[in-house]
């Protein structure tokens, strides 16, 4: 006999079907008793409008996925996350959640600034449903993860905002959950703590937990997420791999910030055209060598150059960028107006027999501004006599000023 809790193992962790959410916005606000009384006699004159935050949104999230939800401010992504967390009820549609869900949204709600860090751990733990003994058993781990051993007997009002987030996050991680919802809650913490939190999420993923992540950080999306959706004006504008959705988000952002002084680099390519590829050389043998001649139309700093290989199924096999510390790169490349530089990537030939595609990106270190991007620079066929599977390999980078 099959146990009931093993019947639906193939079901998605979250299934969203035709979700819509409307908000009613009155044009007149009642701020006093007199206004309220007078408004009774003016019912026909009161006006309101309906804001459609989400419109017919549907998608599934597989169990064990690190799933990204992207979108510009006001696109509806945070509204969607609050519907998943049951903070909001949808106007139409349905959400099915398979497993226990814990939202990492507005961490620290319920904290009392007049209580110590220690007292707030017990208070917040109780709000999460822990018994005192359960909090006793977890207390040392909570404090150690938050790295606040020397501050737990100080009042919370004396904590920095980053310290409060660290403590709240650490308490929330003790909750047993199958699905975690994360909404930019780590933005206040320092870089080391953010990295620690992401490593925690990656550890959960290895144990089959599901993480839903709302963010503007495209580097985090590319590094941690498997799949993602792009929300724009209340609808799913794009759904696919994290890399593809991140690219679509950047295209959307760059289209939204175009002005009359911005030039487009072409139909296959996109970006603001301020720094662009003007020539390239690609040589494949025992090593793969890709040289790019890049020219800038303005004086500019913090330029990032990268490349990637795709297979016939459109999967990214390998790639590197000039901000990858492991290849000895600087943080950003400086360009002078009307001057060019040659950027060369060279790596071991990892390709087996097959058809491949080469793409590149020239952007700024803000992770948003794209100068020149082309995911289809060239397609080539490579024949290897022996069986050879692609692997990730070391890459060296050189930059020469012309």
């Amino acid at each position: 006999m099959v146990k009931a809790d093993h019947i639906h193992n193939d079901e998605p962790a979250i299934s969203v079907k035709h979700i819509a959410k409307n908000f009613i916005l009155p044009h007149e606000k009642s701020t006093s008793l007199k206004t309220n009384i007078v408004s009774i006699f003016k019912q026909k004159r009161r006006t309101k409008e309906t804001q459609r935050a989400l419109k017919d949104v549907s998608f599934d999230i597989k169990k064990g996925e690190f799933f990204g939800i992207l979108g510009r401010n006001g696109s509806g992504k945070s509204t969607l996350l609050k519907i998943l967390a049951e903070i909001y009820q949808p106007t139409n549609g349905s959400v099915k959640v398979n497993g226990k869900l814990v939202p990492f949204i507005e961490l620290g709600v319920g904290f009392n600034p007049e209580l110590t860090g220690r007292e707030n751990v017990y208070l917040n733990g109780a709000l999460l449903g822990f018994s005192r003994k359960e909090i006793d058993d977890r207390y040392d781990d909570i404090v150690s993860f938050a790295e606040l051993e020397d501050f737990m007997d100080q009042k919370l009002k004396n904590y920095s905002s980053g310290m409060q987030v660290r403590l709240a996050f650490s308490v929330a991680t003790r909750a047993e959950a199958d699905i975690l919802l994360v909404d930019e809650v780590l933005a206040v913490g320092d870089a080391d703590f953010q990295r620690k939190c992401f490593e925690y999420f990656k550890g959960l993923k290895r144990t089959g937990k599901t993480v839903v992540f709302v963010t503007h950080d495209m580097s985090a999306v590319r590094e941690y997420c498997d799949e993602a959706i792009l929300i724009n004006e209340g609808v799913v504008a794009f759904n696919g791999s994290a890399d593809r959705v991140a690219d679509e988000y950047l295209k959307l952002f760059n289209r939204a910030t175009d002005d009359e002084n911005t030039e487009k680099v072409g139909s296959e390519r996109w970006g603001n055209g301020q720094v662009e590829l003007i020539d390239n050389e690609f040589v494949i043998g025992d090593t793969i060598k890709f040289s790019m001649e890049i020219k800038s139309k303005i004086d500019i700093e913090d330029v990032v150059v990268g490349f990637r290989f795709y297979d016939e199924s459109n999967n990214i096999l390998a790639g590197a960028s000039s901000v990858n510390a492991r290849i000895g790169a600087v943080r950003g490349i400086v360009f002078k107006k009307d001057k060019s530089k040659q950027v060369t990537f060279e790596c071991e030939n990892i390709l087996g027999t097959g058809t491949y595609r080469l793409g590149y990106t020239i952007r700024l270190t803000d992770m948003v501004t794209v100068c020149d991007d082309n995911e289809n620079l060239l397609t080539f066929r490579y024949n290897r006599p022996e069986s050879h599977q692609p692997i990730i390999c070391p890459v060296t980078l050189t930059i020469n000023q012309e």
Side-chain angles (χ1 to χ4, degrees), residues 36 103 119 135 158 162 167 181 195 239 245 253 313:
N36 286 329
E119 291 167 334
I135 301 174
N158 296 322
L167 185 61
L181 304 184
R195 174 67 57 178
N239 189 341
V245 175
F253 186 92
S313 299

Side-chain angles (χ1 to χ4, degrees), residues 341-401:
K341 289 187 178 183
Q342 183 171 303
V343 177
T344 301
F345 295 94
E346 186 171 7
C347 63
E348 178 187 347
N349 185 352
I350 63 171
L351 302 179
T353 298
T355 300
Y356 301 94
R357 185 161 49 86
L358 175 65
Y360 69 88
T361 298
I362 304 171
R363 60 172 175 80
L364 302 187
T365 54
D366 63 8
M367 302 301 293
V368 172
T369 305
V370 176
C371 301
D372 186 2
D373 182 281
N374 189 348
E375 65 180 32
N376 194 23
L377 176 65
L378 60 92
T379 300
F380 62 95
R381 177 75 184 177
Y382 180 70
N383 296 305
R384 195 177 198 103
E386 74 275 14
S387 176
H388 189 83
Q389 295 299 319
I391 59 173
I392 299 300
C393 65
V395 175
T396 58
L397 168 72
T398 56
I399 302 171
N400 297 322
Q401 176 83 47

Side-chain angles (χ1 to χ4, degrees), residues 112-128:
N112 187 331
E114 296 298 328
L115 299 179
T116 65
R118 182 188 303 272
E119 291 167 334
N120 272 289
V121 166
Y122 282 86
L123 173 63
N124 204 237
L127 293 174
L128 289 172

Side-chain angles (χ1 to χ4, degrees), residues 305-309 318-324 327 345 393 395:
V305 180
F307 80 100
R308 63 266 186 193
F309 288 115
S321 79
S322 59
V323 294
N324 190 329
I327 64 175
F345 295 94
C393 65
V395 175

Side-chain angles (χ1 to χ4, degrees), residues 6 30 65 85 121 149 162 200 215 244 254 258 261 301 332 340 342 346 379 381 387:
H6 293 295
S30 298
E65 272 190 335
V121 166
E149 290 88 346
Y200 166 79
T215 184
R244 294 297 302 275
N254 278 267
D258 285 343
N261 297 316
E301 298 180 352
S340 64
Q342 183 171 303
E346 186 171 7
T379 300
R381 177 75 184 177
S387 176

